[in-house]
Amino acid sequence: MKKILLLISFIGIMTSCSDDLTDKNVDPKKPTITKAEYLFTNAQKKIVDQMVSTSVNNNVFRLFAQQWAETTYPNESQYDLTGRKIPDNHFNAFYRDVLFDLFESKSMIESQSTMTDSEAVIKENKLALIDVLEVYSYSILVDTFGNIPYTQAGDIIKYPLPVYDDAKTIYKDLIARLIKDEAVFKKNASSPNFGSADIIYSGNAASNLKWAKFVNSLIIRLSVNISDVEPDYAAVQLQAALANGVLSSNADNTKLVYLTTTGNQNPLYTDLVASNRTDFVPAEPFVAAMDAVGDPRMVKYFVNDTPIPVLPAGRTFIGGTYGEANVYSSSSHLTKTFNSQTYPGTLFDYAELQFLLAEAAEKNLIPGGSAQAKKYYDAGITASMLDWGLTAADATAYLAKPKVDYTNVQSGATWKEKIGTQAWFALYNRGFEAWTSYRRLDFPVLKAPTSAINKNILTVPVRYTYSGKEQSVNGTNYTKAAIAIGGDKMNTKLFWDKY
């Protein structure tokens, strides 16, 4: 993808009025109609924006994964979700900004007549791609909150106060939908979908197979997540997805390349550069763990720039104290790579897939056991190294270290520790996925900071509490959902978080 369409930041709302006031109720400066393609593009961008943003109003997952720490305002590292209404903003980002646009885009496309077989195929591809983005969005919402509005979420007129569906039931339906979508992409592989309106894989005929790989990889993510509670079901879904074809290299990574124009820049640039703020530094638990194994990615992840911090003996970088206010000049800083306006926002990458498959092998969801897990583990580390600009030789040398070698007990007492630690390193800057990996594997061992413990928050949160607005507006259904999941608390585990 080389270009992103200049996006409209709002969509006009159709209104009805009496005949004699029609002209007076029309604002010529605001659109009252739009195109399905514009809605689709906007939804794609909003998804990526929400997942890669570092604004503490929208996304605190890097903080929950303890990859980053805060400087002046450490509230979010102390697990204050309500002060900035973070759950509300995350909930709204997907339901209001993403899913609403996707629903509208789908409705418009479904109403379009097709004159030729070619047009019918393109229409089918578009609807499948919309469905994939809907499924992805719902999967993020489930993995954030647990039970969520699903079956009644698409019709605000009929269901202004939607019920909350069971999370495991939603998960299985999402996988079933993905299986159908993948079949469409394979069947229509010689036809395009959204064309340039698809700002991730470009929307040409070749993109269908790329989307099919993403779909199968997403099925694997969901299958691994659910595997501790439904291992037999997970194994069937995972093996089928793997056989159908998944991301095969970093070239297949699902990412959006941003532009230099205002409004189309990576949110990291907006938050770290354009804001002229220094709100974040690398977190010491993360930096110390990488330093302990001499990870060569540190020079890609962190920088000791002016003023150079005082480093402890034997250390190459130093992070900020997690959960406390930090002095920016006293620690290493985030890589300047994030300062690029065009830095890509990633939804899924090859390294993540390899670690998921390593876990699947250890759980006997796929054949091969520990020997096969090692191959995936090594491939995940190598893919991460290459994606960050290091070489295959760097990866080989790193994998030979006793504290990294999968067969060496120094790399971890259990396979969960080995995979969990290296996935944590590889998922740097992908806070949601790093947090999910931690919740599923319980590695690395992360502890709530003293400041949170003093507020009686004793563990790292494993979910967001529900939206405050939902509690007040959709109170009956909210209350039922809270009871069903075991309480609307940050330490209430999701259905798949068994251990």
Side-chain angles (χ1 to χ4, degrees), residues 453-477:
I453 293 173
N454 289 340
K455 295 186 291 185
N456 203 35
I457 304 174
L458 306 181
T459 60
V460 176
V462 291
R463 66 178 291 274
Y464 273 11
T465 51
Y466 284 124
S467 158
K469 189 170 184 179
E470 274 289 288
Q471 296 178 39
S472 60
V473 174
N474 194 12
T476 299
N477 290 319

PDB file of all heavy atoms in Angstrom, residues 453-477:
ATOM      1  N   ILE A 453      -0.958  -1.248  44.972  1.00  0.00           N
ATOM      2  CA  ILE A 453      -1.240  -2.091  46.137  1.00  0.00           C
ATOM      3  C   ILE A 453      -1.775  -1.255  47.288  1.00  0.00           C
ATOM      4  O   ILE A 453      -2.684  -1.671  48.021  1.00  0.00           O
ATOM      5  CB  ILE A 453       0.023  -2.863  46.557  1.00  0.00           C
ATOM      6  CG1 ILE A 453       0.394  -3.881  45.475  1.00  0.00           C
ATOM      7  CG2 ILE A 453      -0.171  -3.570  47.896  1.00  0.00           C
ATOM      8  CD1 ILE A 453       1.713  -4.579  45.703  1.00  0.00           C
ATOM      9  N   ASN A 454      -1.236  -0.056  47.428  1.00  0.00           N
ATOM     10  CA  ASN A 454      -1.716   0.843  48.486  1.00  0.00           C
ATOM     11  C   ASN A 454      -3.172   1.246  48.285  1.00  0.00           C
ATOM     12  O   ASN A 454      -3.831   1.696  49.225  1.00  0.00           O
ATOM     13  CB  ASN A 454      -0.833   2.101  48.545  1.00  0.00           C
ATOM     14  CG  ASN A 454       0.551   1.807  49.088  1.00  0.00           C
ATOM     15  OD1 ASN A 454       0.769   0.793  49.753  1.00  0.00           O
ATOM     16  ND2 ASN A 454       1.504   2.688  48.807  1.00  0.00           N
ATOM     17  N   LYS A 455      -3.666   1.094  47.049  1.00  0.00           N
ATOM     18  CA  LYS A 455      -5.074   1.379  46.758  1.00  0.00           C
ATOM     19  C   LYS A 455      -5.882   0.085  46.709  1.00  0.00           C
ATOM     20  O   LYS A 455      -6.988   0.052  46.199  1.00  0.00           O
ATOM     21  CB  LYS A 455      -5.190   2.137  45.424  1.00  0.00           C
ATOM     22  CG  LYS A 455      -4.557   3.517  45.442  1.00  0.00           C
ATOM     23  CD  LYS A 455      -4.822   4.283  44.162  1.00  0.00           C
ATOM     24  CE  LYS A 455      -4.095   3.679  42.967  1.00  0.00           C
ATOM     25  NZ  LYS A 455      -4.277   4.514  41.742  1.00  0.00           N
ATOM     26  N   ASN A 456      -5.269  -0.979  47.224  1.00  0.00           N
ATOM     27  CA  ASN A 456      -5.914  -2.298  47.299  1.00  0.00           C
ATOM     28  C   ASN A 456      -6.109  -2.945  45.930  1.00  0.00           C
ATOM     29  O   ASN A 456      -6.980  -3.793  45.751  1.00  0.00           O
ATOM     30  CB  ASN A 456      -7.249  -2.233  48.041  1.00  0.00           C
ATOM     31  CG  ASN A 456      -7.648  -3.576  48.622  1.00  0.00           C
ATOM     32  OD1 ASN A 456      -6.783  -4.358  49.056  1.00  0.00           O
ATOM     33  ND2 ASN A 456      -8.932  -3.888  48.627  1.00  0.00           N
ATOM     34  N   ILE A 457      -5.297  -2.545  44.957  1.00  0.00           N
ATOM     35  CA  ILE A 457      -5.248  -3.230  43.660  1.00  0.00           C
ATOM     36  C   ILE A 457      -4.003  -4.108  43.714  1.00  0.00           C
ATOM     37  O   ILE A 457      -2.882  -3.634  43.512  1.00  0.00           O
ATOM     38  CB  ILE A 457      -5.183  -2.229  42.496  1.00  0.00           C
ATOM     39  CG1 ILE A 457      -6.362  -1.261  42.569  1.00  0.00           C
ATOM     40  CG2 ILE A 457      -5.172  -2.965  41.159  1.00  0.00           C
ATOM     41  CD1 ILE A 457      -6.310  -0.144  41.543  1.00  0.00           C
ATOM     42  N   LEU A 458      -4.187  -5.379  43.998  1.00  0.00           N
ATOM     43  CA  LEU A 458      -3.071  -6.239  44.387  1.00  0.00           C
ATOM     44  C   LEU A 458      -2.405  -6.950  43.223  1.00  0.00           C
ATOM     45  O   LEU A 458      -1.307  -7.489  43.379  1.00  0.00           O
ATOM     46  CB  LEU A 458      -3.565  -7.276  45.409  1.00  0.00           C
ATOM     47  CG  LEU A 458      -4.284  -6.702  46.642  1.00  0.00           C
ATOM     48  CD1 LEU A 458      -4.694  -7.831  47.580  1.00  0.00           C
ATOM     49  CD2 LEU A 458      -3.399  -5.689  47.363  1.00  0.00           C
ATOM     50  N   THR A 459      -3.063  -6.986  42.073  1.00  0.00           N
ATOM     51  CA  THR A 459      -2.507  -7.700  40.926  1.00  0.00           C
ATOM     52  C   THR A 459      -2.613  -6.853  39.667  1.00  0.00           C
ATOM     53  O   THR A 459      -3.395  -5.891  39.607  1.00  0.00           O
ATOM     54  CB  THR A 459      -3.261  -9.021  40.693  1.00  0.00           C
ATOM     55  OG1 THR A 459      -4.653  -8.741  40.447  1.00  0.00           O
ATOM     56  CG2 THR A 459      -3.131  -9.947  41.904  1.00  0.00           C
ATOM     57  N   VAL A 460      -1.854  -7.220  38.655  1.00  0.00           N
ATOM     58  CA  VAL A 460      -1.960  -6.570  37.353  1.00  0.00           C
ATOM     59  C   VAL A 460      -3.358  -6.853  36.798  1.00  0.00           C
ATOM     60  O   VAL A 460      -3.820  -8.001  36.828  1.00  0.00           O
ATOM     61  CB  VAL A 460      -0.896  -7.109  36.387  1.00  0.00           C
ATOM     62  CG1 VAL A 460      -1.067  -6.504  34.999  1.00  0.00           C
ATOM     63  CG2 VAL A 460       0.505  -6.819  36.922  1.00  0.00           C
ATOM     64  N   PRO A 461      -4.075  -5.859  36.315  1.00  0.00           N
ATOM     65  CA  PRO A 461      -5.427  -6.090  35.788  1.00  0.00           C
ATOM     66  C   PRO A 461      -5.427  -7.124  34.665  1.00  0.00           C
ATOM     67  O   PRO A 461      -4.496  -7.187  33.856  1.00  0.00           O
ATOM     68  CB  PRO A 461      -5.838  -4.717  35.260  1.00  0.00           C
ATOM     69  CG  PRO A 461      -5.035  -3.747  36.066  1.00  0.00           C
ATOM     70  CD  PRO A 461      -3.720  -4.425  36.289  1.00  0.00           C
ATOM     71  N   VAL A 462      -6.494  -7.917  34.622  1.00  0.00           N
ATOM     72  CA  VAL A 462      -6.637  -8.910  33.558  1.00  0.00           C
ATOM     73  C   VAL A 462      -7.835  -8.599  32.666  1.00  0.00           C
ATOM     74  O   VAL A 462      -8.141  -9.355  31.753  1.00  0.00           O
ATOM     75  CB  VAL A 462      -6.748 -10.345  34.134  1.00  0.00           C
ATOM     76  CG1 VAL A 462      -5.420 -10.765  34.746  1.00  0.00           C
ATOM     77  CG2 VAL A 462      -7.877 -10.449  35.151  1.00  0.00           C
ATOM     78  N   ARG A 463      -8.514  -7.497  32.928  1.00  0.00           N
ATOM     79  CA  ARG A 463      -9.577  -7.009  32.052  1.00  0.00           C
ATOM     80  C   ARG A 463      -9.847  -5.548  32.380  1.00  0.00           C
ATOM     81  O   ARG A 463      -9.410  -5.050  33.419  1.00  0.00           O
ATOM     82  CB  ARG A 463     -10.885  -7.809  32.202  1.00  0.00           C
ATOM     83  CG  ARG A 463     -11.545  -7.673  33.557  1.00  0.00           C
ATOM     84  CD  ARG A 463     -12.862  -8.433  33.657  1.00  0.00           C
ATOM     85  NE  ARG A 463     -13.941  -7.868  32.854  1.00  0.00           N
ATOM     86  CZ  ARG A 463     -14.755  -6.891  33.272  1.00  0.00           C
ATOM     87  NH1 ARG A 463     -14.612  -6.374  34.496  1.00  0.00           N
ATOM     88  NH2 ARG A 463     -15.717  -6.435  32.495  1.00  0.00           N
ATOM     89  N   TYR A 464     -10.525  -4.872  31.454  1.00  0.00           N
ATOM     90  CA  TYR A 464     -11.062  -3.550  31.732  1.00  0.00           C
ATOM     91  C   TYR A 464     -12.406  -3.718  32.439  1.00  0.00           C
ATOM     92  O   TYR A 464     -13.161  -4.652  32.151  1.00  0.00           O
ATOM     93  CB  TYR A 464     -11.343  -2.792  30.431  1.00  0.00           C
ATOM     94  CG  TYR A 464     -10.209  -2.011  29.827  1.00  0.00           C
ATOM     95  CD1 TYR A 464      -8.900  -2.128  30.275  1.00  0.00           C
ATOM     96  CD2 TYR A 464     -10.464  -1.149  28.756  1.00  0.00           C
ATOM     97  CE1 TYR A 464      -7.883  -1.396  29.672  1.00  0.00           C
ATOM     98  CE2 TYR A 464      -9.454  -0.429  28.150  1.00  0.00           C
ATOM     99  CZ  TYR A 464      -8.163  -0.556  28.613  1.00  0.00           C
ATOM    100  OH  TYR A 464      -7.163   0.164  28.020  1.00  0.00           O
ATOM    101  N   THR A 465     -12.720  -2.804  33.326  1.00  0.00           N
ATOM    102  CA  THR A 465     -14.091  -2.722  33.817  1.00  0.00           C
ATOM    103  C   THR A 465     -14.965  -2.164  32.696  1.00  0.00           C
ATOM    104  O   THR A 465     -14.471  -1.547  31.746  1.00  0.00           O
ATOM    105  CB  THR A 465     -14.173  -1.815  35.046  1.00  0.00           C
ATOM    106  OG1 THR A 465     -13.521  -0.562  34.749  1.00  0.00           O
ATOM    107  CG2 THR A 465     -13.493  -2.458  36.244  1.00  0.00           C
ATOM    108  N   TYR A 466     -16.266  -2.404  32.805  1.00  0.00           N
ATOM    109  CA  TYR A 466     -17.176  -1.969  31.750  1.00  0.00           C
ATOM    110  C   TYR A 466     -17.278  -0.444  31.686  1.00  0.00           C
ATOM    111  O   TYR A 466     -16.982   0.266  32.653  1.00  0.00           O
ATOM    112  CB  TYR A 466     -18.574  -2.555  31.976  1.00  0.00           C
ATOM    113  CG  TYR A 466     -18.697  -4.009  31.605  1.00  0.00           C
ATOM    114  CD1 TYR A 466     -19.134  -4.954  32.537  1.00  0.00           C
ATOM    115  CD2 TYR A 466     -18.400  -4.452  30.310  1.00  0.00           C
ATOM    116  CE1 TYR A 466     -19.264  -6.292  32.196  1.00  0.00           C
ATOM    117  CE2 TYR A 466     -18.528  -5.790  29.966  1.00  0.00           C
ATOM    118  CZ  TYR A 466     -18.958  -6.707  30.908  1.00  0.00           C
ATOM    119  OH  TYR A 466     -19.091  -8.034  30.566  1.00  0.00           O
ATOM    120  N   SER A 467     -17.716   0.026  30.544  1.00  0.00           N
ATOM    121  CA  SER A 467     -17.947   1.444  30.307  1.00  0.00           C
ATOM    122  C   SER A 467     -18.879   2.035  31.353  1.00  0.00           C
ATOM    123  O   SER A 467     -19.924   1.466  31.661  1.00  0.00           O
ATOM    124  CB  SER A 467     -18.559   1.613  28.905  1.00  0.00           C
ATOM    125  OG  SER A 467     -19.255   2.820  28.787  1.00  0.00           O
ATOM    126  N   GLY A 468     -18.490   3.163  31.898  1.00  0.00           N
ATOM    127  CA  GLY A 468     -19.327   3.831  32.886  1.00  0.00           C
ATOM    128  C   GLY A 468     -20.659   4.272  32.307  1.00  0.00           C
ATOM    129  O   GLY A 468     -21.688   4.225  32.977  1.00  0.00           O
ATOM    130  N   LYS A 469     -20.656   4.682  31.047  1.00  0.00           N
ATOM    131  CA  LYS A 469     -21.901   5.111  30.422  1.00  0.00           C
ATOM    132  C   LYS A 469     -22.851   3.939  30.259  1.00  0.00           C
ATOM    133  O   LYS A 469     -24.067   4.086  30.420  1.00  0.00           O
ATOM    134  CB  LYS A 469     -21.617   5.756  29.072  1.00  0.00           C
ATOM    135  CG  LYS A 469     -22.835   6.429  28.459  1.00  0.00           C
ATOM    136  CD  LYS A 469     -22.471   7.268  27.253  1.00  0.00           C
ATOM    137  CE  LYS A 469     -23.695   8.009  26.730  1.00  0.00           C
ATOM    138  NZ  LYS A 469     -23.356   8.859  25.560  1.00  0.00           N
ATOM    139  N   GLU A 470     -22.310   2.769  29.943  1.00  0.00           N
ATOM    140  CA  GLU A 470     -23.156   1.585  29.836  1.00  0.00           C
ATOM    141  C   GLU A 470     -23.822   1.278  31.175  1.00  0.00           C
ATOM    142  O   GLU A 470     -24.979   0.864  31.235  1.00  0.00           O
ATOM    143  CB  GLU A 470     -22.326   0.384  29.391  1.00  0.00           C
ATOM    144  CG  GLU A 470     -22.163   0.243  27.896  1.00  0.00           C
ATOM    145  CD  GLU A 470     -23.447  -0.170  27.215  1.00  0.00           C
ATOM    146  OE1 GLU A 470     -23.870  -1.327  27.354  1.00  0.00           O
ATOM    147  OE2 GLU A 470     -24.038   0.698  26.525  1.00  0.00           O
ATOM    148  N   GLN A 471     -23.090   1.497  32.244  1.00  0.00           N
ATOM    149  CA  GLN A 471     -23.638   1.227  33.577  1.00  0.00           C
ATOM    150  C   GLN A 471     -24.850   2.115  33.861  1.00  0.00           C
ATOM    151  O   GLN A 471     -25.812   1.686  34.515  1.00  0.00           O
ATOM    152  CB  GLN A 471     -22.562   1.449  34.633  1.00  0.00           C
ATOM    153  CG  GLN A 471     -21.386   0.490  34.536  1.00  0.00           C
ATOM    154  CD  GLN A 471     -20.307   0.778  35.567  1.00  0.00           C
ATOM    155  OE1 GLN A 471     -20.605   1.114  36.696  1.00  0.00           O
ATOM    156  NE2 GLN A 471     -19.055   0.659  35.166  1.00  0.00           N
ATOM    157  N   SER A 472     -24.806   3.351  33.382  1.00  0.00           N
ATOM    158  CA  SER A 472     -25.898   4.281  33.670  1.00  0.00           C
ATOM    159  C   SER A 472     -27.019   4.211  32.652  1.00  0.00           C
ATOM    160  O   SER A 472     -28.198   4.333  33.001  1.00  0.00           O
ATOM    161  CB  SER A 472     -25.364   5.718  33.752  1.00  0.00           C
ATOM    162  OG  SER A 472     -24.759   6.098  32.528  1.00  0.00           O
ATOM    163  N   VAL A 473     -26.685   3.992  31.384  1.00  0.00           N
ATOM    164  CA  VAL A 473     -27.694   4.006  30.325  1.00  0.00           C
ATOM    165  C   VAL A 473     -28.307   2.623  30.095  1.00  0.00           C
ATOM    166  O   VAL A 473     -29.508   2.488  29.884  1.00  0.00           O
ATOM    167  CB  VAL A 473     -27.084   4.545  29.011  1.00  0.00           C
ATOM    168  CG1 VAL A 473     -28.086   4.435  27.867  1.00  0.00           C
ATOM    169  CG2 VAL A 473     -26.637   5.988  29.186  1.00  0.00           C
ATOM    170  N   ASN A 474     -27.477   1.590  30.139  1.00  0.00           N
ATOM    171  CA  ASN A 474     -27.924   0.223  29.862  1.00  0.00           C
ATOM    172  C   ASN A 474     -27.770  -0.620  31.126  1.00  0.00           C
ATOM    173  O   ASN A 474     -27.236  -1.732  31.107  1.00  0.00           O
ATOM    174  CB  ASN A 474     -27.092  -0.352  28.703  1.00  0.00           C
ATOM    175  CG  ASN A 474     -27.685  -1.617  28.109  1.00  0.00           C
ATOM    176  OD1 ASN A 474     -28.824  -1.974  28.378  1.00  0.00           O
ATOM    177  ND2 ASN A 474     -26.902  -2.304  27.295  1.00  0.00           N
ATOM    178  N   GLY A 475     -28.238  -0.049  32.223  1.00  0.00           N
ATOM    179  CA  GLY A 475     -27.960  -0.608  33.543  1.00  0.00           C
ATOM    180  C   GLY A 475     -28.427  -2.027  33.768  1.00  0.00           C
ATOM    181  O   GLY A 475     -27.709  -2.843  34.362  1.00  0.00           O
ATOM    182  N   THR A 476     -29.613  -2.366  33.303  1.00  0.00           N
ATOM    183  CA  THR A 476     -30.136  -3.715  33.534  1.00  0.00           C
ATOM    184  C   THR A 476     -29.261  -4.768  32.870  1.00  0.00           C
ATOM    185  O   THR A 476     -28.882  -5.771  33.492  1.00  0.00           O
ATOM    186  CB  THR A 476     -31.579  -3.832  33.011  1.00  0.00           C
ATOM    187  OG1 THR A 476     -32.405  -2.903  33.713  1.00  0.00           O
ATOM    188  CG2 THR A 476     -32.111  -5.236  33.219  1.00  0.00           C
ATOM    189  N   ASN A 477     -28.928  -4.536  31.616  1.00  0.00           N
ATOM    190  CA  ASN A 477     -28.098  -5.508  30.898  1.00  0.00           C
ATOM    191  C   ASN A 477     -26.658  -5.504  31.410  1.00  0.00           C
ATOM    192  O   ASN A 477     -26.006  -6.543  31.442  1.00  0.00           O
ATOM    193  CB  ASN A 477     -28.136  -5.229  29.401  1.00  0.00           C
ATOM    194  CG  ASN A 477     -29.488  -5.542  28.798  1.00  0.00           C
ATOM    195  OD1 ASN A 477     -30.105  -6.545  29.145  1.00  0.00           O
ATOM    196  ND2 ASN A 477     -29.966  -4.687  27.902  1.00  0.00           N
TER     197      ASN A 477
END
